[in-house]
Each structure stands twice: as C-alpha cells, then as structure tokens.
Coordinates of all heavy atoms in Angstrom, one line a residue:
S30 N 0.8 -1.2 0.0 CA 0.0 0.0 0.0 C 0.9 1.2 0.0 O 2.0 1.2 0.5 CB -1.0 0.0 1.2 OG -0.3 0.3 2.4
E31 N 0.3 2.3 -0.5 CA 1.0 3.6 -0.7 C 1.1 4.4 0.6 O 0.1 4.5 1.3 CB 0.3 4.4 -1.8 CG 1.0 5.6 -2.3 CD 0.2 6.2 -3.4 OE1 0.4 5.7 -4.5 OE2 -0.5 7.1 -3.2
P32 N 2.2 4.9 1.0 CA 2.3 5.7 2.2 C 1.4 6.9 2.1 O 1.4 7.6 1.1 CB 3.8 6.2 2.3 CG 4.5 5.2 1.4 CD 3.5 4.8 0.4
V33 N 0.6 7.2 3.1 CA -0.4 8.2 3.0 C 0.2 9.6 3.0 O -0.2 10.3 2.1 CB -1.4 8.0 4.3 CG1 -2.4 9.2 4.3 CG2 -2.1 6.7 4.2
L34 N 1.0 9.9 3.9 CA 1.5 11.3 4.0 C 2.3 11.7 2.7 O 1.9 12.7 2.1 CB 2.4 11.4 5.2 CG 2.9 12.8 5.5 CD1 1.8 13.8 5.7 CD2 3.9 12.8 6.7
A35 N 3.3 11.0 2.3 CA 4.1 11.4 1.2 C 3.3 11.4 -0.1 O 3.6 12.3 -1.0 CB 5.3 10.5 1.1
S36 N 2.4 10.6 -0.3 CA 1.6 10.5 -1.5 C 0.5 11.5 -1.6 O 0.1 12.0 -2.7 CB 1.1 9.1 -1.8 OG 0.1 8.8 -0.8
K37 N -0.1 11.9 -0.5 CA -1.2 12.8 -0.5 C -0.8 14.3 -0.6 O -1.6 15.1 -1.1 CB -2.0 12.6 0.8 CG -2.6 11.2 1.0 CD -3.7 11.0 0.0 CE -4.3 9.6 0.4 NZ -5.0 9.0 -0.7
L38 N 0.3 14.7 0.0 CA 0.7 16.1 0.0 C 0.8 16.7 -1.4 O 0.4 17.9 -1.6 CB 2.0 16.3 0.8 CG 1.8 16.1 2.3 CD1 3.1 16.1 3.1 CD2 0.8 17.2 2.9
P39 N 1.5 16.1 -2.4 CA 1.5 16.7 -3.7 C 0.2 17.0 -4.3 O 0.0 18.0 -5.0 CB 2.3 15.7 -4.5 CG 3.1 15.0 -3.5 CD 2.3 14.9 -2.3
K40 N -0.8 16.2 -4.0 CA -2.2 16.4 -4.5 C -2.8 17.6 -3.8 O -3.8 18.1 -4.2 CB -3.0 15.1 -4.2 CG -2.5 13.9 -5.1 CD -3.2 12.7 -4.7 CE -2.5 11.5 -5.4 NZ -2.8 10.2 -4.8
R41 N -2.2 18.0 -2.7 CA -2.7 19.2 -2.0 C -1.9 20.4 -2.3 O -1.8 21.3 -1.4 CB -2.8 18.9 -0.5 CG -3.8 17.9 -0.2 CD -3.9 17.6 1.3 NE -4.9 16.6 1.5 CZ -5.5 16.4 2.7 NH1 -5.2 17.2 3.7 NH2 -6.4 15.5 2.8
C42 N -1.2 20.4 -3.4 CA -0.4 21.5 -3.9 C 0.8 21.8 -2.9 O 1.2 23.0 -2.8 CB -1.2 22.8 -4.1 SG -2.5 22.6 -5.3
R43 N 1.4 20.8 -2.4 CA 2.6 20.9 -1.5 C 3.7 20.4 -2.4 O 3.6 19.4 -3.1 CB 2.5 20.1 -0.3 CG 1.3 20.3 0.6 CD 1.3 21.7 1.2 NE 2.4 21.9 2.1 CZ 2.4 22.8 3.0 NH1 1.5 23.7 3.1 NH2 3.5 23.0 3.8
K44 N 4.9 21.1 -2.3 CA 6.1 20.6 -2.9 C 6.9 19.9 -1.9 O 7.4 20.5 -1.0 CB 6.9 21.8 -3.5 CG 8.1 21.4 -4.3 CD 8.7 22.5 -5.0 CE 9.9 22.0 -5.8 NZ 10.7 23.1 -6.4
V45 N 6.9 18.6 -2.0 CA 7.5 17.7 -1.0 C 8.9 17.2 -1.3 O 9.2 16.9 -2.5 CB 6.6 16.5 -0.8 CG1 7.1 15.6 0.3 CG2 5.2 16.9 -0.4
L46 N 9.8 17.2 -0.3 CA 11.1 16.6 -0.4 C 11.2 15.6 0.6 O 11.0 15.8 1.8 CB 12.2 17.7 -0.2 CG 13.6 17.2 -0.3 CD1 14.0 16.7 -1.7 CD2 14.6 18.4 0.2
L47 N 11.5 14.4 0.2 CA 11.8 13.3 1.1 C 13.3 13.2 1.4 O 14.1 13.3 0.4 CB 11.4 11.9 0.6 CG 9.9 11.7 0.4 CD1 9.6 10.4 -0.4 CD2 9.2 11.7 1.7
A48 N 13.7 13.1 2.7 CA 15.1 13.1 3.0 C 15.5 11.7 3.5 O 14.9 11.2 4.5 CB 15.5 14.1 4.1
A49 N 16.4 11.0 2.9 CA 16.8 9.7 3.2 C 17.9 9.7 4.3 O 19.1 9.8 4.0 CB 17.3 8.9 2.0
A50 N 17.4 9.6 5.6 CA 18.4 9.7 6.7 C 18.5 8.4 7.5 O 19.0 8.4 8.6 CB 17.9 10.9 7.6
D51 N 17.9 7.3 7.0 CA 18.0 6.0 7.6 C 19.3 5.4 7.0 O 19.2 4.6 6.1 CB 16.8 5.1 7.4 CG 16.9 3.8 8.1 OD1 18.0 3.5 8.6 OD2 15.9 3.1 8.1
V52 N 20.4 5.7 7.7 CA 21.7 5.1 7.2 C 22.1 3.8 7.8 O 23.1 3.2 7.4 CB 22.8 6.2 7.4 CG1 22.5 7.5 6.7 CG2 23.0 6.4 8.9
Y53 N 21.2 3.3 8.6 CA 21.6 2.0 9.3 C 21.0 0.8 8.7 O 21.5 -0.3 8.9 CB 21.1 2.1 10.8 CG 21.6 3.3 11.5 CD1 20.8 4.4 11.8 CD2 23.0 3.4 11.8 CE1 21.4 5.5 12.4 CE2 23.5 4.5 12.5 CZ 22.7 5.5 12.7 OH 23.2 6.7 13.3
R54 N 20.0 0.9 7.8 CA 19.5 -0.2 7.1 C 20.0 -0.1 5.7 O 19.7 0.9 5.0 CB 17.9 -0.2 7.1 CG 17.3 -0.6 8.4 CD 15.8 -0.8 8.3 NE 15.1 0.3 7.7 CZ 14.4 0.2 6.6 NH1 14.3 -1.0 6.0 NH2 13.8 1.3 6.0
P55 N 20.7 -1.1 5.2 CA 21.4 -1.0 3.9 C 20.4 -0.7 2.7 O 20.8 0.1 1.8 CB 22.0 -2.4 3.7 CG 22.2 -2.9 5.1 CD 21.0 -2.3 5.9
A56 N 19.2 -1.2 2.7 CA 18.3 -0.9 1.6 C 17.4 0.3 1.8 O 16.6 0.6 0.9 CB 17.5 -2.2 1.4
A57 N 17.5 0.9 2.9 CA 16.5 2.0 3.2 C 16.5 3.1 2.2 O 15.5 3.6 1.8 CB 16.7 2.5 4.6
I58 N 17.7 3.6 1.8 CA 17.9 4.7 0.9 C 17.3 4.3 -0.5 O 16.5 5.0 -1.1 CB 19.3 5.2 0.8 CG1 19.8 5.7 2.2 CG2 19.5 6.2 -0.3 CD1 21.2 6.0 2.3
T59 N 17.7 3.1 -0.9 CA 17.2 2.6 -2.2 C 15.6 2.5 -2.2 O 15.0 2.9 -3.1 CB 17.8 1.3 -2.6 OG1 19.2 1.4 -2.6 CG2 17.3 0.8 -3.9
Q60 N 15.1 2.0 -1.1 CA 13.6 1.8 -1.0 C 13.0 3.2 -1.1 O 11.9 3.3 -1.7 CB 13.3 1.1 0.3 CG 13.6 -0.3 0.4 CD 13.4 -0.9 1.7 OE1 13.4 -0.2 2.8 NE2 13.4 -2.2 1.8
L61 N 13.5 4.2 -0.4 CA 12.9 5.5 -0.4 C 13.0 6.1 -1.8 O 12.1 6.8 -2.3 CB 13.6 6.4 0.6 CG 12.8 7.7 1.0 CD1 11.5 7.4 1.6 CD2 13.6 8.6 1.9
E62 N 14.1 5.9 -2.5 CA 14.3 6.4 -3.9 C 13.2 5.8 -4.8 O 12.6 6.5 -5.6 CB 15.7 6.2 -4.4 CG 16.7 7.1 -3.7 CD 18.1 6.7 -3.9 OE1 18.4 5.6 -4.4 OE2 19.0 7.6 -3.7
I63 N 13.0 4.5 -4.6 CA 12.0 3.8 -5.4 C 10.6 4.4 -5.1 O 9.8 4.7 -6.0 CB 12.1 2.3 -5.2 CG1 13.3 1.7 -5.8 CG2 10.8 1.6 -5.8 CD1 13.7 0.3 -5.4
L64 N 10.3 4.6 -3.8 CA 9.0 5.1 -3.4 C 8.9 6.5 -4.0 O 7.8 6.9 -4.6 CB 8.9 5.2 -1.9 CG 7.8 6.0 -1.4 CD1 6.4 5.3 -1.7 CD2 7.9 6.3 0.1
G65 N 9.9 7.4 -3.9 CA 9.8 8.7 -4.4 C 9.5 8.8 -5.9 O 8.7 9.6 -6.3
K66 N 10.2 7.9 -6.6 CA 10.0 7.9 -8.0 C 8.5 7.4 -8.3 O 7.9 8.0 -9.2 CB 11.0 6.9 -8.7 CG 10.9 6.9 -10.2 CD 12.0 6.1 -10.8 CE 13.3 6.8 -10.7 NZ 14.4 6.2 -11.4
S67 N 8.0 6.5 -7.6 CA 6.7 6.0 -7.9 C 5.6 7.0 -7.5 O 4.5 6.9 -8.1 CB 6.4 4.7 -7.1 OG 6.2 4.9 -5.7
I68 N 5.8 7.9 -6.6 CA 4.8 8.9 -6.3 C 5.2 10.3 -6.8 O 4.6 11.3 -6.4 CB 4.5 8.9 -4.8 CG1 5.7 9.3 -3.9 CG2 3.9 7.6 -4.3 CD1 5.4 9.4 -2.4
D69 N 6.2 10.4 -7.6 CA 6.7 11.6 -8.2 C 7.1 12.7 -7.1 O 6.6 13.8 -7.2 CB 5.7 12.2 -9.1 CG 6.3 13.2 -10.1 OD1 7.5 13.1 -10.4 OD2 5.5 14.1 -10.5
V70 N 7.9 12.2 -6.1 CA 8.4 13.1 -5.1 C 9.9 13.0 -5.0 O 10.4 11.9 -5.0 CB 7.8 12.7 -3.7 CG1 8.4 13.5 -2.6 CG2 6.3 13.0 -3.7
E71 N 10.6 14.1 -5.0 CA 12.0 14.1 -5.0 C 12.6 13.6 -3.7 O 12.0 13.8 -2.6 CB 12.6 15.5 -5.3 CG 14.1 15.5 -5.4 CD 14.6 16.9 -5.8 OE1 13.9 17.7 -6.3 OE2 15.8 17.1 -5.6
V72 N 13.7 12.8 -3.8 CA 14.3 12.3 -2.6 C 15.8 12.9 -2.5 O 16.5 12.8 -3.5 CB 14.4 10.7 -2.7 CG1 15.2 10.2 -1.5 CG2 13.1 10.1 -2.7
F73 N 16.1 13.4 -1.3 CA 17.4 13.9 -1.1 C 18.2 12.9 -0.3 O 17.7 12.3 0.7 CB 17.3 15.2 -0.2 CG 18.6 15.8 0.2 CD1 19.4 16.5 -0.7 CD2 19.1 15.5 1.5 CE1 20.6 17.0 -0.3 CE2 20.3 16.0 1.9 CZ 21.1 16.8 1.0
S74 N 19.4 12.6 -0.8 CA 20.2 11.6 -0.1 C 21.7 12.0 -0.1 O 22.1 12.7 -1.1 CB 20.1 10.2 -0.9 OG 21.0 9.3 -0.4
M75 N 22.4 11.7 0.9 CA 23.8 11.9 1.0 C 24.6 10.6 1.1 O 25.7 10.6 1.5 CB 24.1 12.9 2.2 CG 23.6 14.3 2.0 SD 23.7 15.4 3.4 CE 25.5 15.3 3.8
G76 N 23.9 9.5 0.9 CA 24.5 8.2 1.1 C 24.5 7.6 2.5 O 24.1 8.3 3.4
S77 N 25.0 6.4 2.6 CA 24.9 5.7 3.9 C 26.0 6.0 4.8 O 26.0 5.6 6.0 CB 24.8 4.2 3.6 OG 26.0 3.7 3.0
E78 N 27.0 6.8 4.4 CA 28.1 7.1 5.3 C 27.9 8.5 6.0 O 28.7 8.8 6.9 CB 29.4 7.1 4.5 CG 29.8 5.8 3.8 CD 30.0 4.7 4.9 OE1 30.6 4.9 5.9 OE2 29.5 3.6 4.6
A79 N 26.9 9.2 5.6 CA 26.6 10.5 6.2 C 25.9 10.4 7.5 O 25.3 9.4 7.8 CB 25.8 11.4 5.2
D80 N 26.1 11.5 8.3 CA 25.4 11.6 9.6 C 23.9 12.0 9.4 O 23.6 12.9 8.6 CB 26.1 12.6 10.5 CG 25.4 12.8 11.8 OD1 25.4 11.9 12.6 OD2 24.8 13.9 12.0
P81 N 23.0 11.2 10.0 CA 21.6 11.5 9.8 C 21.2 13.0 10.1 O 20.4 13.6 9.4 CB 20.9 10.6 10.7 CG 21.8 9.4 10.9 CD 23.2 10.0 10.8
V82 N 21.8 13.6 11.1 CA 21.5 15.0 11.5 C 22.0 15.9 10.4 O 21.2 16.8 10.0 CB 22.2 15.4 12.8 CG1 22.0 16.8 13.1 CG2 21.6 14.5 14.0
D83 N 23.1 15.6 9.8 CA 23.6 16.4 8.7 C 22.7 16.3 7.5 O 22.5 17.3 6.7 CB 25.1 16.0 8.3 CG 26.1 16.4 9.3 OD1 25.8 17.4 10.1 OD2 27.2 15.8 9.4
I84 N 22.2 15.1 7.2 CA 21.3 14.8 6.1 C 20.1 15.7 6.3 O 19.6 16.4 5.3 CB 21.0 13.4 6.0 CG1 22.2 12.5 5.6 CG2 19.8 13.1 4.9 CD1 22.0 11.0 5.8
A85 N 19.5 15.7 7.5 CA 18.3 16.4 7.7 C 18.5 17.9 7.5 O 17.7 18.6 6.9 CB 17.7 16.1 9.1
K86 N 19.6 18.4 8.1 CA 20.0 19.9 7.9 C 20.1 20.3 6.5 O 19.6 21.3 6.0 CB 21.2 20.2 8.7 CG 21.0 20.2 10.2 CD 22.4 20.5 10.9 CE 22.2 20.5 12.4 NZ 23.5 20.8 13.1
Q87 N 20.9 19.4 5.7 CA 21.1 19.7 4.3 C 19.8 19.7 3.5 O 19.6 20.4 2.6 CB 22.1 18.8 3.7 CG 23.5 19.0 4.3 CD 24.1 20.3 3.9 OE1 23.9 20.8 2.8 NE2 24.9 20.9 4.8
A88 N 18.9 18.7 3.9 CA 17.6 18.6 3.2 C 16.8 19.9 3.4 O 16.2 20.4 2.5 CB 16.9 17.4 3.7
V89 N 16.8 20.4 4.6 CA 16.0 21.6 4.9 C 16.6 22.8 4.2 O 15.9 23.6 3.6 CB 16.0 21.9 6.5 CG1 15.4 23.3 6.8 CG2 15.1 20.8 7.1
E90 N 18.0 22.9 4.1 CA 18.6 24.0 3.4 C 18.2 23.9 1.9 O 17.9 24.9 1.3 CB 20.1 23.9 3.6 CG 20.5 24.4 5.0 CD 22.0 24.3 5.2 OE1 22.8 24.3 4.2 OE2 22.4 24.3 6.4
K91 N 18.3 22.7 1.3 CA 17.9 22.5 -0.1 C 16.4 22.9 -0.3 O 16.1 23.6 -1.3 CB 18.1 21.0 -0.5 CG 17.6 20.7 -1.9 CD 17.7 19.2 -2.2 CE 17.1 18.8 -3.5 NZ 17.8 19.4 -4.7
A92 N 15.6 22.5 0.6 CA 14.2 22.9 0.5 C 14.0 24.4 0.5 O 13.2 24.9 -0.3 CB 13.4 22.2 1.7
K93 N 14.7 25.1 1.3 CA 14.5 26.5 1.4 C 15.0 27.2 0.1 O 14.4 28.0 -0.5 CB 15.3 27.1 2.6 CG 14.7 26.8 3.9 CD 15.6 27.4 5.0 CE 15.0 27.1 6.4 NZ 15.9 27.5 7.5
R94 N 16.2 26.7 -0.4 CA 16.8 27.2 -1.7 C 15.9 26.9 -2.9 O 15.8 27.8 -3.8 CB 18.1 26.5 -1.9 CG 19.3 27.1 -1.3 CD 20.6 26.6 -1.9 NE 20.6 25.2 -2.2 CZ 21.0 24.2 -1.4 NH1 21.3 24.4 -0.2 NH2 20.9 22.9 -1.8
E95 N 15.2 25.8 -2.9 CA 14.5 25.3 -4.1 C 13.0 25.4 -4.0 O 12.3 24.9 -4.9 CB 15.0 23.9 -4.5 CG 16.5 23.9 -4.8 CD 17.0 22.5 -5.2 OE1 16.2 21.6 -5.6 OE2 18.2 22.3 -5.1
G96 N 12.5 26.0 -3.0 CA 11.1 26.2 -2.9 C 10.2 25.1 -2.5 O 9.0 25.1 -2.7
F97 N 10.8 24.1 -1.8 CA 10.0 23.0 -1.2 C 9.3 23.6 0.0 O 9.9 24.4 0.8 CB 10.9 21.8 -0.8 CG 11.4 21.1 -2.0 CD1 12.6 21.4 -2.6 CD2 10.7 20.0 -2.5 CE1 13.1 20.7 -3.6 CE2 11.2 19.3 -3.6 CZ 12.4 19.7 -4.2
D98 N 8.1 23.2 0.3 CA 7.4 23.7 1.5 C 7.2 22.6 2.5 O 6.7 22.9 3.6 CB 6.1 24.4 1.2 CG 5.2 23.6 0.3 OD1 5.2 22.3 0.4 OD2 4.4 24.2 -0.4
T99 N 7.6 21.4 2.2 CA 7.4 20.3 3.1 C 8.6 19.4 3.0 O 9.0 19.0 1.9 CB 6.1 19.5 2.8 OG1 5.0 20.4 2.8 CG2 5.9 18.4 3.8
V100 N 9.2 19.0 4.1 CA 10.3 18.1 4.2 C 9.9 16.9 5.1 O 9.5 17.2 6.2 CB 11.6 18.7 4.7 CG1 12.7 17.7 4.7 CG2 12.0 19.9 3.8
I101 N 10.0 15.7 4.6 CA 9.8 14.5 5.4 C 11.1 13.8 5.5 O 11.7 13.4 4.5 CB 8.7 13.6 4.7 CG1 7.4 14.4 4.6 CG2 8.5 12.3 5.6 CD1 6.3 13.6 3.8
V102 N 11.5 13.6 6.8 CA 12.8 13.0 7.0 C 12.6 11.5 7.4 O 11.9 11.3 8.4 CB 13.6 13.7 8.1 CG1 15.0 13.0 8.3 CG2 13.8 15.2 7.7
D103 N 13.1 10.6 6.6 CA 12.9 9.2 6.9 C 14.2 8.8 7.7 O 15.3 8.8 7.2 CB 12.9 8.4 5.6 CG 12.8 6.9 5.9 OD1 12.0 6.5 6.7 OD2 13.6 6.1 5.3
T104 N 13.9 8.4 9.0 CA 15.0 8.0 9.9 C 14.9 6.6 10.2 O 13.9 5.9 9.9 CB 15.0 8.9 11.2 OG1 13.8 8.5 11.9 CG2 15.0 10.3 10.8
A105 N 15.9 6.1 11.0 CA 15.9 4.7 11.4 C 14.9 4.5 12.5 O 14.6 3.4 12.9 CB 17.3 4.3 11.9
G106 N 14.4 5.5 13.1 CA 13.4 5.4 14.2 C 14.1 5.2 15.5 O 15.3 5.4 15.6
R107 N 13.4 4.7 16.4 CA 13.9 4.4 17.8 C 14.9 3.3 17.7 O 14.7 2.2 17.2 CB 12.8 4.1 18.7 CG 11.9 5.3 18.9 CD 10.8 5.1 19.9 NE 10.8 3.9 20.6 CZ 9.8 3.4 21.3 NH1 8.6 4.0 21.2 NH2 9.8 2.3 21.9
Q108 N 16.1 3.5 18.3 CA 17.1 2.5 18.4 C 17.4 2.0 19.8 O 18.3 1.3 20.1 CB 18.4 3.0 17.7 CG 18.2 3.3 16.2 CD 18.0 2.0 15.4 OE1 18.6 1.0 15.6 NE2 17.0 2.1 14.5
G109 N 16.6 2.5 20.8 CA 16.8 2.2 22.2 C 16.5 0.8 22.5 O 15.8 0.1 21.8
I110 N 17.1 0.4 23.6 CA 16.8 -1.0 24.1 C 15.8 -0.9 25.3 O 16.0 -0.1 26.2 CB 18.1 -1.7 24.6 CG1 19.1 -1.8 23.4 CG2 17.8 -3.0 25.2 CD1 20.5 -2.3 23.8
N111 N 14.8 -1.7 25.2 CA 13.8 -1.6 26.3 C 14.2 -2.3 27.5 O 14.9 -3.2 27.6 CB 12.5 -2.3 25.8 CG 11.8 -1.5 24.7 OD1 12.1 -0.3 24.5 ND2 11.0 -2.2 23.9

C-alpha cells in the first residue's frame, strides 16, 4: 500500500522533499528512492556514510533554496533498548 503522507501532500499543492536519513538499514535509501519515483516526489540523499543529522539539515537547506514547502525525514526510528 502507498504511504499516506508522502503521496497525499503533492495532491494538496505541496512541494514535498523526502530526506533519506536512515543510514543504518542497507536498503532503506534505495527503498525511499523507489518510493519517491513511484509517487513523483524528489528524494534527497547523501549516502549511507553521512550523519543523519547532517542529512536532515542539508535537506532543509535544499528545501529553502529550491522552494519546497514540506520536508519529510525518513530516519531509522527508535534504536533504544527496552
């Protein structure tokens, strides 16, 4: 099924940028790029060796420069041990 947030925003006249900041799962960046292409949303990536915080910061800077009004940062999520 299609992710609700990323796919619905362009239909609401939002210019969306997805930021690939999950550098811990080997296929995460590729998966996000495939998703972005399928829903016609640009994906910003700095590769799997970059720091997730730097990726998010650079994505926001790119968004400001290029007129994106929405940035969605895909992260690894919680990594804590219960």
